[in-house]
Amino acid sequence: SVENLLADASSKLKALVVCDHDPEINLFADRLKSLEFVVYLGSYANPFVELAHAVLPTTTFVETDGTTTNTERRIQLNRRKIEPRFEARPAWTIFADLAARRVPAWSFRSSADVLEEIAKAVPAYAGVTQAGLEAKFGGLQWPVDPRAFSGPLRFVAPGGGPAPVQAEESFPFRL
C-alpha cells in the first residue's frame, strides 16, 4: 500500500501521484516532503496541496460524466450538470495524458470508453455499459452478467479474509 511505502524510509519511492486522497496520508508529511516529485489531482484545496510539487485540478461530480458504485453494489450513472470551471478536467483524461507519455496511448475518448474497459477487466462489472445504465433508472447492481462472475458476494475485512462476524440464524448476514 502507499502507506507502507511512505512508512518505509528505505523504500525506493521517488514520486507519487495522488488522486483526491485520504486525509491520513498527511501523517506522512515528512516522507512526502522528501520525495522528488508529488502530484495532486483533486477538486478541492486542502492541506495536502501544500505537500505537492504540482496540482492538477480535476472536475467535481457535477462537472463530469462517470459512474459511482455504492456499498450495495449499485452502479449509477452520473451526468455532467454544469460546465467545468477554470482548467479543471475529468481525472480519467489527466491519467490518459500521463499514460500516453509512458506507455502506448490509451484510446479512451469518453467516460463510456473507460467504463467499457472496466467491464472487460473486472469480472463483477462484466455486462455493464453506459447504455444499460441509461436505460435503468436507479442504476444496476453487479454482477450484471452472473455468468462472468462466480465469486461470493461478501464484505471483506481490512487486511483480507472474511470479517470476524459470521452469519447466524438471528442475523443471517456476514459483514
Side-chain angles (χ1 to χ4, degrees):
S1 74
V2 173
E3 289 81 9
N4 289 342
L5 284 171
L6 291 171
D8 180 4
S10 68
S11 79
K12 295 181 181 183
L13 185 66
K14 293 181 180 183
L16 187 64
V17 176
V18 176
C19 188
D20 286 323
H21 75 291
D22 179 342
E24 291 189 12
I25 198 169
N26 292 334
L27 296 174
F28 301 98
D30 290 339
R31 178 72 166 110
L32 288 162
K33 289 175 185 175
S34 75
L35 298 178
E36 292 177 22
F37 194 61
V38 177
V39 179
Y40 172 65
L41 282 75
S43 304
Y44 303 99
N46 56 58
F48 187 82
V49 169
E50 300 302 319
L51 300 171
H53 296 98
V55 176
L56 303 176
T58 60
T59 52
T60 64
F61 76 97
V62 297
E63 298 169 314
T64 191
D65 292 330
T67 60
T68 56
T69 304
N70 67 21
T71 56
E72 68 163 348
R73 307 182 334 269
R74 186 167 307 281
I75 306 162
Q76 293 178 294
L77 183 63
N78 179 67
R79 289 295 194 185
R80 181 177 67 213
K81 284 105 179 129
I82 63 173
E83 290 298 317
R85 298 186 60 188
F86 312 109
E87 296 179 31
R89 296 172 44 202
W92 71 265
T93 66
I94 297 170
F95 280 115
D97 285 350
L98 291 172
R101 287 162 174 77
R102 300 295 300 167
V103 296
W106 294 350
S107 60
F108 306 137
R109 290 187 298 270
S110 68
S111 61
D113 292 343
V114 175
L115 180 60
E116 184 179 324
E117 180 67 21
I118 291 169
K120 289 177 188 173
V122 180
Y125 281 69
V128 177
T129 64
Q130 187 162 319
L133 290 169
E134 287 172 341
K136 179 76 173 162
F137 180 77
L140 300 168
Q141 282 186 301
W142 64 262
V144 173
D145 182 354
R147 296 169 296 169
F149 181 75
S150 60
L153 302 178
R154 62 184 170 135
F155 287 106
V156 177
V165 178
Q166 299 299 319
E168 299 174 0
E169 189 174 325
S170 63
F171 187 77
F173 304 100
R174 262 182 26 182
L175 301 176

